[in-house]
């Protein structure tokens, strides 16, 4: 260890992906502040939200993103999303030729389907943690796993069959990294993860997963106020996987379109998209659905509908759908649905019930580390303040005074 430190001090080498983050934690500083930035971290291409031109480009870029993220490269963590990148990615994916065959490498670690299964199992574990505790709970651990354990496999030796499975599984894991980064409100970083995941899914010839990645981009675009882009991404997802779309996937894509349309104020188009989502979900057969879309059920669709009707100021309909959106098994989703219910009651003029429901949401989300959850609470607090002073609001503030999410939302 002494030799390592001496080498770092003399400038002969830099801390690797393991020691770099430890030093950042020890000194409570970023990699750049400690002078640990690697050449890749200084590369302006890392901040370029471009759709990769080839499988090798996707591998190289995602490896650099993982490493930079792991070393807390501030320009990346604070980067803004690029609007043109959404359009470019969806168009290039839609018109892409036959997927490139993952190159059969002759060097590196031999990769088997067992290795792919290990990645899948590990990513599923992290997905459960994300769902239960929020994106900022284990996000760093996910990136460390991807950078340290998965990145070498992408540069390993594998057959075409294994390569397809590897790309698909890593695309799904990178999608998770994107969702967790989005939940932590690192929006530019999240968008870049989504872009790399989409390219990996393209070369895995996994059209269904690629469509779901576009749907995630649509979700983020709506959250960020880019409603036209969000609707376009949802439509691109539906169009791009039409020959292989399942009912649940179609329902999700229609729901994402509805969320965007609600924000634009197009009530008729929003209701038409919601109707299409409901009709699609009614025809689903769970045995024919990808495992990773199984979470999108009647409760999830009700939550999306509640968001829509709240946003078009149909408070009573929002209340009805929000009350049907509690799954009991997805903590963060239930928190969002409960906050939408609280906001709907507030918009309907029932301040006392709104405050009671908001307190329920705070109890439910006490364990969540999620900047998105904080943003929902901040919006509710602004709306509650605008409704005027009331005893219910004062009681809520008193009871919630030490809740971490409530405190964060008031900053």
């Amino acid at each position: 260890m002494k030799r390592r430190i001496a080498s770092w001090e003399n400038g002969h080498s830099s801390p690797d992906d393991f020691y770099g983050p430890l030093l950042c934690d020890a000194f409570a500083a970023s990699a750049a502040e400690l002078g640990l930035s690697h050449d890749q971290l200084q590369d302006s291409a890392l901040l370029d939200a471009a759709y990769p031109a080839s499988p090798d480009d996707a591998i190289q870029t995602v490896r650099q993103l993982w490493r930079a993220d792991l070393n807390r490269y501030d320009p990346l963590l604070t980067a803004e999303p690029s609007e043109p990148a959404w359009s470019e990615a969806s168009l290039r994916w839609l018109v892409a030729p036959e997927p490139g065959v993952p190159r059969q490498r002759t060097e590196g670690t031999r990769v088997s389907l067992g290795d792919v299964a290990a990645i899948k199992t590990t990513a599923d574990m992290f997905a459960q943690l994300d769902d239960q505790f929020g994106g900022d709970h284990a996000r760093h651990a996910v990136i460390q796993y991807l950078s340290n354990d998965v990145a070498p496999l992408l540069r390993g030796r594998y057959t075409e069959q294994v390569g397809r499975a590897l790309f698909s599984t890593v695309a799904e894991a990178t999608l998770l990294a994107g969702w967790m980064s989005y939940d932590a409100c690192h929006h530019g970083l999240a968008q870049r993860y989504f872009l790399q995941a989409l390219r990996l899914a393209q070369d895995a010839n996994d059209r269904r997963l690629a469509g779901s990645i576009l749907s995630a981009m649509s979700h983020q675009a709506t959250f960020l106020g880019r409603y036209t882009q969000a609707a376009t991404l949802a439509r691109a997802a539906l169009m791009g996987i039409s020959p292989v779309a399942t009912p649940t996937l179609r329902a999700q894509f229609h729901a994402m379109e509805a969320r965007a349309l609600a924000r634009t104020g197009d009530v008729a188009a929003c209701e038409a998209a919601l109707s299409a989502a409901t009709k699609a979900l009614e025809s689903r057969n769970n045995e024919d659905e990808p495992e990773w879309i199984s979470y999108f059920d009647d409760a999830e669709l009700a939550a999306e509908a509640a968001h829509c009707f709240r946003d078009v100021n149909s408070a009573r309909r929002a209340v009805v759908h929000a009350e049907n959106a509690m799954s009991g098994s997805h903590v963060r989703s239930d928190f969002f649905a409960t906050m939408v219910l609280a906001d709907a009651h507030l918009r309907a003029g029932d301040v006392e019930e709104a405050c009671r429901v908001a307190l329920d949401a705070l109890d439910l989300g006490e364990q969540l580390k999620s900047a998105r959850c904080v943003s929902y609470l901040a919006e509710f607090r602004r709306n509650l303040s605008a409704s005027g002073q009331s005893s219910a609001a004062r009681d809520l503030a008193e009871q919630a005074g030490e809740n971490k999410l409530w405190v964060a939302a008031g900053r």
Side-chain angles (χ1 to χ4, degrees):
M1 187 64 199
K2 290 181 180 179
R3 284 195 204 130
R4 285 181 185 269
I5 295 174
S7 178
W8 301 337
E9 289 177 339
N10 293 329
H12 297 311
S13 67
S14 296
D16 60 18
D17 292 345
F18 177 76
Y19 288 105
L22 292 181
L23 289 171
C24 291
D25 287 339
F27 290 100
S30 69
E33 289 170 332
L34 294 178
L36 303 182
S37 300
H38 300 293
D39 289 342
Q40 293 95 328
L41 303 186
Q42 298 166 345
D43 187 353
S44 62
L46 191 63
L47 301 178
D48 182 19
Y51 191 63
S54 69
D56 281 339
D57 284 345
I59 291 173
Q60 179 181 352
T61 302
V62 80
R63 282 161 53 96
Q64 290 180 351
L65 285 172
W66 292 334
R67 188 179 299 115
D69 190 358
L70 196 59
N71 283 282
R72 298 185 174 92
Y73 184 49
D74 288 339
L76 182 62
L77 293 175
T78 59
E80 294 294 325
S82 163
E83 288 197 42
W86 283 317
S87 299
E88 180 197 12
S90 58
L91 179 60
R92 289 185 61 182
W93 175 72
L94 281 170
V95 302
E98 288 298 312
V101 177
R103 191 168 67 196
Q104 298 188 35
R105 301 182 183 277
T106 58
E107 298 177 350
T109 304
R110 179 183 173 275
V111 184
S112 68
L113 290 176
D115 295 314
V116 176
I119 298 172
K120 171 65 175 170
T121 300
T122 305
D124 286 347
M125 177 197 70
F126 281 124
Q128 291 175 5
L129 293 174
D130 171 50
D131 182 46
Q132 187 172 358
F133 298 108
D136 237 355
H137 171 71
R139 201 189 75 83
H140 198 67
V142 170
I143 303 305
Q144 189 167 45
Y145 170 71
L146 291 171
S147 184
N148 293 350
D149 293 76
V150 175
L153 299 181
L154 289 172
R155 289 296 187 189
R157 292 183 289 119
Y158 39 79
T159 64
E160 179 181 342
Q161 177 193 13
V162 172
R164 296 271 192 226
L166 176 65
F167 276 38
S168 179
T169 302
V170 176
E172 188 178 344
T174 305
L175 171 61
L176 173 62
W179 273 114
M180 295 175 84
S181 300
Y182 165 27
D183 198 47
C185 286
H186 298 307
H187 290 297
L189 176 60
Q191 183 192 49
R192 285 156 178 80
Y193 281 140
F194 290 149
L195 292 172
Q196 308 315 312
L198 182 63
R199 177 70 215 211
L200 291 169
Q202 174 186 324
D203 292 304
N205 199 23
D206 194 337
R207 302 292 291 181
R208 290 172 175 175
L209 179 59
S212 190
I213 294 165
L214 284 177
S215 180
M217 292 182 184
S218 173
H219 197 290
Q220 183 192 29
T222 293
F223 183 83
L224 294 172
R226 275 72 160 193
Y227 308 127
T228 300
Q229 291 276 13
T232 299
L233 286 163
R235 290 164 184 156
L238 189 61
M239 179 187 302
I241 75 162
S242 183
V244 295
T246 66
T248 302
L249 285 169
R250 288 199 302 272
Q252 184 194 56
F253 302 161
H254 283 304
M256 289 304 98
E257 182 185 8
R259 284 282 299 271
L261 293 170
R263 286 288 192 172
T264 68
D266 192 339
V267 179
C270 170
E271 291 187 347
L274 280 177
S275 178
T278 301
K279 184 177 180 180
L281 200 61
E282 288 172 348
S283 65
R284 74 188 183 277
N285 179 351
N286 289 332
E287 293 182 0
D288 297 332
E289 300 286 345
E291 176 270 333
W292 40 260
I293 196 62
S294 60
Y295 78 93
F296 197 89
D297 53 15
D298 292 328
E300 192 71 20
L301 180 55
E304 303 297 352
H307 278 85
C308 291
F309 288 119
R310 178 202 63 179
D311 293 340
V312 299
N313 294 316
S314 183
R316 293 302 178 189
R317 295 176 76 182
V319 166
V320 171
H321 285 283
E323 287 175 341
N324 292 327
M326 309 303 166
S327 68
S329 57
H330 301 292
V331 177
R332 185 177 49 208
S333 294
D334 285 353
F335 173 88
F336 288 142
T338 307
M339 283 309 307
V340 170
L341 178 59
D343 209 31
H345 280 302
L346 187 60
R347 296 185 186 206
D350 193 344
V351 177
E352 185 173 344
E353 183 65 7
C355 291
R356 185 194 68 76
V357 173
L359 194 59
D360 288 343
L362 288 170
D363 290 339
L364 180 66
E366 190 172 9
Q367 63 194 17
L368 292 170
K369 294 179 68 176
S370 163
R372 272 199 302 152
C373 290
V374 171
S375 72
Y376 272 60
L377 267 172
E379 182 179 11
F380 176 80
R381 289 187 63 158
R382 289 192 297 270
N383 293 338
L384 182 61
S385 178
S387 70
Q389 293 295 321
S390 68
S391 59
R394 288 192 294 271
D395 289 345
L396 172 61
E398 182 179 344
Q399 294 180 67
E402 296 185 1
N403 183 280
K404 288 181 291 186
L405 290 176
W406 182 263
V407 172
R411 290 174 184 156

